[in-house]
Amino acid sequence: MGKYFFCFFVLSCFRVSVSAQESTGSFSEAMKLEMCAKVKEAAQHAWKGYKNYAWGSDDLRPLTKTSRNWYKHSLLMTPVDAFDTFIMLGLKDEAREVKELILSRLDFNIDDEVQVFEITIRQLGGLITAYELDGDKKFLSLATDLANRLMPAFKTATGMPYRFVHLQTGRLRDSINNPAEIGTLMMEFGKLSKLTGNKVYYETAKKAIMQVYARRSGIGLVGEQVDVTNGKWVSTQSHISGYIDSYYEYLYKSWILFGDKDFADAFDVHNKAIKKYLVDKTNKGWFMRHVDMNSGKETATLYGALDAFYAGLCAYAGDIPAAKNIQDANYYMWTNFNMEPEEFNYKTDSVTSAYYILRPENLESCFYLYRYSHKTDYLWMAKRMVDDILAHCKTEAGFASIKNIRTYEQANSMESFFFGETLKYAYLVFAAPSSVDLNRIVFTTEAHPFKIETTLP
Ligand code: DMJ
């Protein structure tokens, strides 16, 4: 491996037993070490399952011990998402195996269409970080080849991309896109401009995300779906959940990554509107309601696993009081139903989607809150979440999603973000702060760390 810009601390693997008496209060260094060791072990177990039953495929199916590909050919989703996590966890053998697999097999010249957003955050982001961490130029060539194949998606009257593009022909499909899938390309395409010296990626992605911003309502919110051919909103539902979530995240993080003030200004406008119209202050914490983007009128009181990222984003952006209150709601969501449901109605306390697909957002928010508040409450919260995942999702071959959090019935899937994000944040929340320097890197939405730039592309 080449030069790493992280300063990793070496964890001794000795086991110390964690006493079960407390659930708040002090959290000893020995307990942090024990949690780190548990997460490392989980990562090794999951990788062993992938190696044994899904080698070369996109994902492991952990119950049937088989594999799954997203498209006609594997794009190595799991290995690409996992590479930097193995490096950050100090799992050198696993990182070496992944590198060999990626460089010997990954090829984007496939006769199939892909989802621009998913491939960007998992593959393009993973390869860019692999290059920044490892220094092998082959990672950068793969990333550039992929980005060039995705670029036709942006050829629309508005500059906002289609959702799907064919990797060989550039054929486009699905013009009804959403803010998250349009905006969550900025960090990856922008970073590629810095690395290659070709500004076109930055400019194209910036045009797309700013086109969403330009379509905000009079009260500063965006809708859920937009037609990229004419720029008209197809759904005016507004919230911070799926379809919108990481659009807001990328406005703030692109400001940190590139220092381009347009992003900071846009985030500021949205953040104020979110706090004014979406936040619902309850005695369980601050949830985020759904409203109409034009009137701000409440349309639903649904909240879910994806919404949980906003606490972390608030902490990252310096608003600890808001972050704390939102995280209280997140923790309520995790503990009130056995485990976190995909979605529930916080007014009636009823679950509307009972699955848990190993999502990271709740743990991610614990990571940022602990980093910026130093309050051990967030270590205890993270411990509860990690322990639940280890107790209920572990299978002989890896880790499984949960089909129904009320019964803990498992489902046959292990998403690549379990490696890319969930295990990474689960580890980093307990690891020494020096293990990752948030003044030097910024995490993408898929938790791939990018070096912060000092000049614009
Ligand atoms: C990840 O792929 C990304 O974090 C995305 O922005 C939202 N959903 C998943 C994880 O839940």
Side-chain angles (χ1 to χ4, degrees), residues 81 117-118 121-122 180 184 242 245-246 249-250 305-306 309 342 357-361 364 415-418 421-422 425 444-447:
D81 244 357
F117 161 77
E118 291 291 356
I121 64 171
R122 302 190 200 216
T184 318
D245 48 3
S246 48
E249 178 186 358
Y250 266 35
L306 286 167
F309 83 102
E342 179 69 3
I357 55 167
L358 301 167
R359 287 201 191 276
E361 288 79 3
E364 174 185 355
E415 283 274 354
S416 70
F417 56 65
F418 180 59
E421 299 183 74
T422 313
Y425 288 125
T444 67
T445 195
E446 194 75 2

Side-chain angles (χ1 to χ4, degrees), residues 388-416:
D388 282 347
I389 293 170
L390 299 187
H392 302 293
C393 302
K394 192 169 181 186
T395 71
E396 220 171 71
F399 285 84
S401 300
I402 299 292
K403 196 180 279 176
N404 186 342
I405 45 99
R406 285 171 293 225
T407 59
Y408 292 123
E409 186 192 350
Q410 293 181 330
N412 198 15
S413 107
M414 183 174 78
E415 283 274 354
S416 70

